Amino acid sequence: MASNFIVEKNTIGVLLEIFDRIQRAKDNVKGKAKYHFNALLNAEPDEPKVSKILAGFFLQETNSEYRVLKSFVKKFWGDNLAAMIKSPTISTEEFVKDDKRIDILVYEKDKYAIVMENKIWDALDQPNQLANYIEAMMGGSYNFNEDQIYVAYLPSTNEHQPSPNSWEGRGGDSYQERFKDRYKLLGFKEKILPWLESSKEVQEIKDNPHFEHSCFLFIDFLRRKLDIDNIDNMAQKEIEKQLREYFSNSESAIADAERLVQLIHKLPKIDINEVVKHLAKIRKEKTKLAMQEWLSYLQRDYPENFFDDSTKAHMAVGTTVPYRGTPAFFSVFIWNYQYNEANSVVIALTKEGAPYRKEIDPKVWNLVRGKKYFKKGHAWLYYKFVSFEQAYPLLQELVRELPNI
C-alpha cells in the first residue's frame, strides 16, 4: 500500500512538472506573437465600454429588423421572446434607481424588459444589485410586471455567478428562484463568444463593412483576453518538444506518456468539494481574525476616520480619506466578498465625493495603474484582490497618496 501511495505521489509531481513545461511553452509563443495588434486590447476597455460595444451590435438594423438582437434573444431565451422584438429601446449605463445603473437595458413598453449586467472583468456585485434592477423595472416609469422582466449576467466565464445577496430585494426576499426560467448566466467565454462566432445573423451582415470590422476586432479581443486564441495551435510544436525532452531525460519509473495516463486513471477519486468546504471554513475563521487585527490598526492609525463593517455578511473595515478640503472624500477599505471568499482593497467615493466621479476617476487611475492588477469597479472606483499580508500596507499606501493626486 505504501509503495502505491509513493507512485501516486510521484505521479502528481510529474503532472505538475508537465503542466509547468506546457505553460512555459505557451508563454514563449505568446512573447513571439505580441505584435498581433488589436486596438481594443491596447485601449483596455472597462466594463461600460464593453457594454457599449455589445449594445452597438444589438442596435444594428437591416431592413428595419434587429437581426443581431433577435438572434441573441432567440439563442438564449427562445422564439417567443424574440418574436416580441419590434422597436426596442437599447441603452447602456441606464440610471434606474438612485445612482444605480443598468449596464445594458433592452425594452419595449408593456411587452418586455431585458436587464444585462456586464461582469466581463469579474467585478464584485454591489449589495442587492440584481434585486435593485428588477424592482426598478417594476416601478417608476417602466412599470413592468415581474413576468415581463428577463435578466442576463455576463461574467468572463460561467464560474463567476451572482452572489446570493445580489438577488435579495426589499424585506430580504430573494428573486433567484422566481427568475429561474427568465435568468441566464452568459459567460463571455462559454456563451457570448460562441454566439458571436456562430450566429448567421451576425456573420451575414456584409453590407455594413464597419460592423463587420468591429465584430472581427471584438471577437479577436475576446479570444485573446479570455486566453482562448490560436496560441494553443501555434504552441503545439514547442509543447511537443518540451514533453519529448522531459520524458527522454526523466529518471522516473514513468517511461512514457501512455504509462502516465494509465497511472492517472488509477489515482483515487477525491471529493474535492469536501476538501474545499473545510478549507473555506478555515479561511473564513482566519479572515475574521484578520479583520479584527486590521480594525485595531485602523483605530490606532486613523482614530478619527476609521469605520467598521466587519460584522456584516460582506466583512469590511477601512477609513475615509480627505481631498481638496472635504474631510471624507474617498473611502479605502479591505473587503471580504462572501461568495468567492476573496479579500480586496477597494477605493470608493463617499457621498461627498460621488458628484465629482467623472473628474476624479482618471486621476485615481493614474495613481493605481502602476500598482499591478487593480480593476475598475462600477459603483466603486478601483479594487484589487490581495493576500492577507498585502492588504493593510496597500491600504496605508493609498491613504497616503490619494490626497495628493
Coordinates of all heavy atoms in Angstrom, one line a residue, residues 124-170:
L124 N -17.0 42.7 -8.5 CA -17.8 42.2 -7.4 C -19.2 42.8 -7.5 O -19.4 43.9 -8.0 CB -17.2 42.6 -6.1 CG -15.7 42.2 -5.9 CD1 -15.2 42.6 -4.5 CD2 -15.6 40.6 -6.0
D125 N -20.2 42.0 -7.1 CA -21.6 42.6 -7.1 C -21.7 43.7 -6.0 O -21.1 43.6 -5.0 CB -22.6 41.4 -6.7 CG -22.7 40.4 -7.8 OD1 -22.2 40.7 -8.9 OD2 -23.4 39.4 -7.6
Q126 N -22.5 44.7 -6.4 CA -22.9 45.6 -5.4 C -24.0 45.0 -4.5 O -24.7 44.0 -4.9 CB -23.5 46.9 -6.1 CG -22.6 47.6 -7.0 CD -23.4 48.5 -7.9 OE1 -24.3 49.2 -7.5 NE2 -23.0 48.6 -9.2
P127 N -24.2 45.5 -3.3 CA -25.3 44.9 -2.5 C -26.6 44.9 -3.1 O -27.0 46.0 -3.7 CB -25.2 45.8 -1.2 CG -23.8 46.3 -1.2 CD -23.4 46.5 -2.6
N128 N -27.3 43.8 -3.2 CA -28.7 43.7 -3.7 C -28.8 44.2 -5.2 O -29.8 44.7 -5.6 CB -29.7 44.6 -2.9 CG -29.5 44.3 -1.4 OD1 -28.9 45.2 -0.7 ND2 -29.9 43.2 -0.9
Q129 N -27.7 44.0 -5.9 CA -27.6 44.6 -7.3 C -28.7 44.1 -8.2 O -29.4 44.9 -8.8 CB -26.2 44.3 -7.9 CG -26.0 45.0 -9.2 CD -24.5 45.0 -9.6 OE1 -23.8 44.1 -9.2 NE2 -24.2 45.9 -10.4
L130 N -28.9 42.8 -8.4 CA -29.9 42.3 -9.4 C -31.3 42.6 -8.9 O -32.2 43.0 -9.7 CB -29.7 40.9 -9.6 CG -28.4 40.4 -10.3 CD1 -28.4 38.9 -10.6 CD2 -28.3 41.2 -11.7
A131 N -31.5 42.5 -7.6 CA -32.8 42.8 -7.0 C -33.2 44.3 -7.2 O -34.3 44.6 -7.5 CB -32.8 42.5 -5.5
N132 N -32.2 45.2 -7.0 CA -32.5 46.6 -7.3 C -32.9 46.9 -8.7 O -33.8 47.7 -9.0 CB -31.2 47.4 -7.0 CG -31.0 47.6 -5.5 OD1 -31.9 47.6 -4.7 ND2 -29.8 47.8 -5.1
Y133 N -32.3 46.2 -9.7 CA -32.6 46.4 -11.1 C -34.0 45.9 -11.3 O -34.8 46.5 -12.0 CB -31.6 45.7 -12.0 CG -30.2 46.3 -11.9 CD1 -29.1 45.5 -12.3 CD2 -30.0 47.5 -11.4 CE1 -27.8 46.0 -12.2 CE2 -28.7 48.0 -11.3 CZ -27.6 47.3 -11.7 OH -26.3 47.8 -11.7
I134 N -34.4 44.7 -10.8 CA -35.7 44.1 -11.0 C -36.8 45.0 -10.4 O -37.8 45.3 -11.1 CB -35.7 42.7 -10.4 CG1 -34.8 41.7 -11.1 CG2 -37.2 42.2 -10.3 CD1 -34.6 40.4 -10.4
E135 N -36.5 45.5 -9.2 CA -37.5 46.3 -8.6 C -37.7 47.7 -9.3 O -38.8 48.2 -9.4 CB -37.2 46.5 -7.1 CG -37.4 45.2 -6.3 CD -36.8 45.3 -4.9 OE1 -36.2 46.3 -4.5 OE2 -37.0 44.3 -4.2
A136 N -36.6 48.2 -9.8 CA -36.7 49.4 -10.6 C -37.5 49.2 -11.9 O -38.3 50.1 -12.3 CB -35.3 49.9 -11.0
M137 N -37.4 48.0 -12.5 CA -38.2 47.8 -13.7 C -39.7 47.6 -13.4 O -40.5 47.8 -14.3 CB -37.7 46.5 -14.4 CG -36.3 46.6 -15.1 SD -36.3 47.7 -16.5 CE -35.6 49.2 -15.8
M138 N -40.0 47.2 -12.2 CA -41.4 47.0 -11.8 C -42.0 48.3 -11.3 O -43.2 48.4 -11.0 CB -41.5 46.0 -10.7 CG -41.2 44.6 -11.2 SD -41.6 43.3 -10.0 CE -40.4 43.5 -8.7
G139 N -41.2 49.4 -11.1 CA -41.7 50.7 -10.6 C -41.4 51.8 -11.6 O -41.0 51.6 -12.7
G140 N -41.6 53.0 -11.0 CA -41.3 54.2 -11.8 C -42.0 54.3 -13.1 O -43.1 54.0 -13.3
S141 N -41.2 54.8 -14.1 CA -41.8 55.0 -15.5 C -41.8 53.7 -16.3 O -42.4 53.6 -17.3 CB -41.0 56.0 -16.2 OG -39.6 55.6 -16.4
Y142 N -41.1 52.6 -15.8 CA -41.1 51.4 -16.5 C -42.4 50.5 -16.3 O -43.0 50.1 -17.2 CB -39.8 50.6 -16.1 CG -38.6 51.3 -16.4 CD1 -37.9 51.9 -15.3 CD2 -38.0 51.4 -17.7 CE1 -36.7 52.6 -15.6 CE2 -36.9 52.1 -17.9 CZ -36.2 52.7 -16.9 OH -35.0 53.4 -17.1
N143 N -42.6 50.2 -15.0 CA -43.9 49.6 -14.6 C -44.2 48.3 -15.3 O -45.3 48.0 -15.7 CB -45.0 50.6 -14.9 CG -46.3 50.3 -14.0 OD1 -46.1 49.8 -12.9 ND2 -47.4 50.6 -14.5
F144 N -43.1 47.4 -15.4 CA -43.3 46.1 -16.0 C -43.8 45.1 -14.9 O -43.6 45.3 -13.7 CB -42.0 45.6 -16.5 CG -41.6 46.2 -17.8 CD1 -40.6 47.2 -17.8 CD2 -42.1 45.8 -19.0 CE1 -40.2 47.8 -19.0 CE2 -41.7 46.4 -20.2 CZ -40.8 47.4 -20.2
N145 N -44.6 44.1 -15.3 CA -44.9 43.0 -14.5 C -43.7 42.2 -14.3 O -42.8 42.1 -15.2 CB -46.0 42.2 -15.1 CG -47.3 42.9 -15.2 OD1 -47.6 43.8 -14.4 ND2 -48.1 42.6 -16.2
E146 N -43.6 41.5 -13.2 CA -42.4 40.7 -12.9 C -42.1 39.6 -14.0 O -41.0 39.4 -14.4 CB -42.5 39.9 -11.6 CG -41.3 39.2 -11.1 CD -41.4 38.6 -9.8 OE1 -41.7 39.4 -8.8 OE2 -41.2 37.4 -9.6
D147 N -43.2 39.0 -14.6 CA -43.0 38.0 -15.6 C -42.7 38.6 -16.9 O -42.4 37.8 -17.9 CB -44.2 37.1 -15.7 CG -45.5 37.8 -16.1 OD1 -45.4 39.0 -16.3 OD2 -46.6 37.2 -16.1
Q148 N -42.6 39.9 -17.1 CA -42.1 40.5 -18.3 C -40.6 40.9 -18.3 O -40.1 41.4 -19.3 CB -42.9 41.8 -18.6 CG -44.4 41.6 -18.8 CD -45.2 42.9 -19.0 OE1 -45.0 43.8 -18.2 NE2 -45.9 43.0 -20.1
I149 N -40.0 40.6 -17.1 CA -38.6 41.0 -16.9 C -37.7 39.8 -17.1 O -37.9 38.8 -16.5 CB -38.4 41.7 -15.5 CG1 -39.3 42.9 -15.4 CG2 -36.9 42.1 -15.3 CD1 -39.4 43.4 -13.9
Y150 N -36.6 40.0 -17.9 CA -35.6 39.0 -18.1 C -34.2 39.5 -17.6 O -34.0 40.7 -17.8 CB -35.6 38.6 -19.6 CG -36.9 38.0 -20.1 CD1 -37.9 38.9 -20.4 CD2 -37.0 36.7 -20.2 CE1 -39.2 38.4 -20.8 CE2 -38.3 36.1 -20.7 CZ -39.3 37.0 -21.0 OH -40.5 36.5 -21.4
V151 N -33.4 38.6 -17.1 CA -32.1 39.1 -16.5 C -31.0 38.2 -17.1 O -31.1 37.0 -17.2 CB -32.1 38.9 -15.0 CG1 -30.8 39.3 -14.4 CG2 -33.2 39.8 -14.4
A152 N -29.9 38.9 -17.5 CA -28.7 38.2 -18.0 C -27.5 38.7 -17.2 O -27.4 39.9 -17.0 CB -28.5 38.4 -19.5
Y153 N -26.7 37.8 -16.8 CA -25.5 38.1 -16.0 C -24.3 37.6 -16.9 O -24.2 36.5 -17.3 CB -25.5 37.3 -14.7 CG -24.5 37.7 -13.7 CD1 -24.8 38.8 -12.9 CD2 -23.3 37.0 -13.4 CE1 -23.9 39.2 -11.8 CE2 -22.5 37.4 -12.5 CZ -22.7 38.5 -11.7 OH -21.9 38.9 -10.7
L154 N -23.4 38.6 -17.3 CA -22.4 38.3 -18.3 C -21.0 38.4 -17.7 O -20.3 39.5 -17.8 CB -22.5 39.4 -19.4 CG -23.6 39.1 -20.5 CD1 -25.0 39.1 -19.9 CD2 -23.5 40.3 -21.5
P155 N -20.5 37.4 -17.0 CA -19.1 37.4 -16.5 C -18.1 36.9 -17.5 O -18.5 36.6 -18.6 CB -19.2 36.4 -15.3 CG -20.2 35.4 -15.8 CD -21.2 36.2 -16.6
S156 N -16.8 36.9 -17.2 CA -15.9 36.4 -18.1 C -16.1 34.9 -18.4 O -16.0 34.5 -19.6 CB -14.4 36.6 -17.6 OG -14.2 35.9 -16.4
T157 N -16.3 34.1 -17.4 CA -16.7 32.7 -17.5 C -17.8 32.4 -16.6 O -18.1 33.1 -15.7 CB -15.5 31.8 -17.2 OG1 -15.3 31.8 -15.8 CG2 -14.2 32.3 -17.8
N158 N -18.4 31.2 -16.9 CA -19.6 30.8 -16.0 C -19.2 30.5 -14.6 O -20.1 30.2 -13.8 CB -20.3 29.7 -16.7 CG -21.2 30.1 -17.9 OD1 -21.4 31.3 -18.1 ND2 -21.7 29.2 -18.6
E159 N -17.9 30.5 -14.3 CA -17.5 30.2 -12.9 C -17.9 31.3 -12.0 O -18.1 31.1 -10.8 CB -16.0 29.9 -12.9 CG -15.6 28.7 -13.5 CD -14.1 28.5 -13.5 OE1 -13.4 29.3 -12.8 OE2 -13.6 27.5 -14.1
H160 N -18.0 32.5 -12.5 CA -18.4 33.7 -11.7 C -19.9 33.9 -11.8 O -20.4 34.2 -12.9 CB -17.7 34.9 -12.3 CG -18.0 36.2 -11.5 ND1 -17.1 37.2 -11.4 CD2 -19.1 36.6 -10.8 CE1 -17.6 38.2 -10.7 NE2 -18.8 37.8 -10.3
Q161 N -20.6 33.7 -10.7 CA -22.0 33.8 -10.6 C -22.4 34.9 -9.6 O -21.7 35.2 -8.8 CB -22.7 32.4 -10.3 CG -22.3 31.3 -11.2 CD -23.1 30.1 -10.9 OE1 -24.3 30.1 -10.5 NE2 -22.5 28.9 -11.1
P162 N -23.7 35.4 -9.7 CA -24.1 36.4 -8.8 C -24.1 35.9 -7.4 O -24.3 34.7 -7.1 CB -25.6 36.7 -9.2 CG -25.7 36.2 -10.6 CD -24.7 35.0 -10.7
S163 N -23.8 36.8 -6.4 CA -23.8 36.4 -5.0 C -25.3 36.2 -4.6 O -26.2 36.8 -5.2 CB -23.1 37.5 -4.2 OG -23.9 38.6 -4.2
P164 N -25.5 35.4 -3.6 CA -26.9 35.2 -3.1 C -27.5 36.6 -2.7 O -28.7 36.8 -3.0 CB -26.8 34.3 -1.9 CG -25.6 33.5 -2.3 CD -24.6 34.4 -3.0
N165 N -26.7 37.4 -2.1 CA -27.2 38.8 -1.7 C -27.6 39.6 -2.9 O -28.5 40.4 -2.7 CB -26.1 39.5 -0.9 CG -26.4 40.9 -0.7 OD1 -26.0 41.8 -1.4 ND2 -27.2 41.2 0.4
S166 N -27.0 39.4 -4.0 CA -27.4 40.2 -5.2 C -28.9 40.1 -5.6 O -29.5 41.0 -6.1 CB -26.5 39.9 -6.4 OG -26.7 40.8 -7.5
W167 N -29.5 38.9 -5.2 CA -30.9 38.6 -5.6 C -31.8 39.1 -4.5 O -33.0 39.1 -4.7 CB -31.1 37.1 -5.7 CG -30.5 36.5 -7.0 CD1 -29.3 35.8 -7.1 CD2 -31.0 36.6 -8.3 NE1 -29.1 35.4 -8.4 CE2 -30.1 35.9 -9.2 CE3 -32.1 37.2 -8.9 CZ2 -30.3 35.8 -10.5 CZ3 -32.4 37.1 -10.2 CH2 -31.5 36.4 -11.1
E168 N -31.3 39.5 -3.3 CA -32.2 39.8 -2.2 C -32.8 41.2 -2.4 O -32.1 42.2 -2.5 CB -31.4 39.7 -0.9 CG -31.0 38.3 -0.5 CD -30.2 38.3 0.8 OE1 -30.1 39.3 1.4 OE2 -29.7 37.2 1.1
G169 N -34.1 41.3 -2.4 CA -34.8 42.5 -2.5 C -35.2 43.1 -1.2 O -34.8 42.7 -0.1
R170 N -36.1 44.1 -1.2 CA -36.6 44.7 0.0 C -37.3 43.7 0.9 O -38.1 42.9 0.4 CB -37.6 45.9 -0.4 CG -37.0 47.1 -1.0 CD -38.0 48.2 -1.2 NE -39.0 47.8 -2.1 CZ -39.1 48.4 -3.3 NH1 -38.3 49.3 -3.7 NH2 -40.1 48.0 -4.1

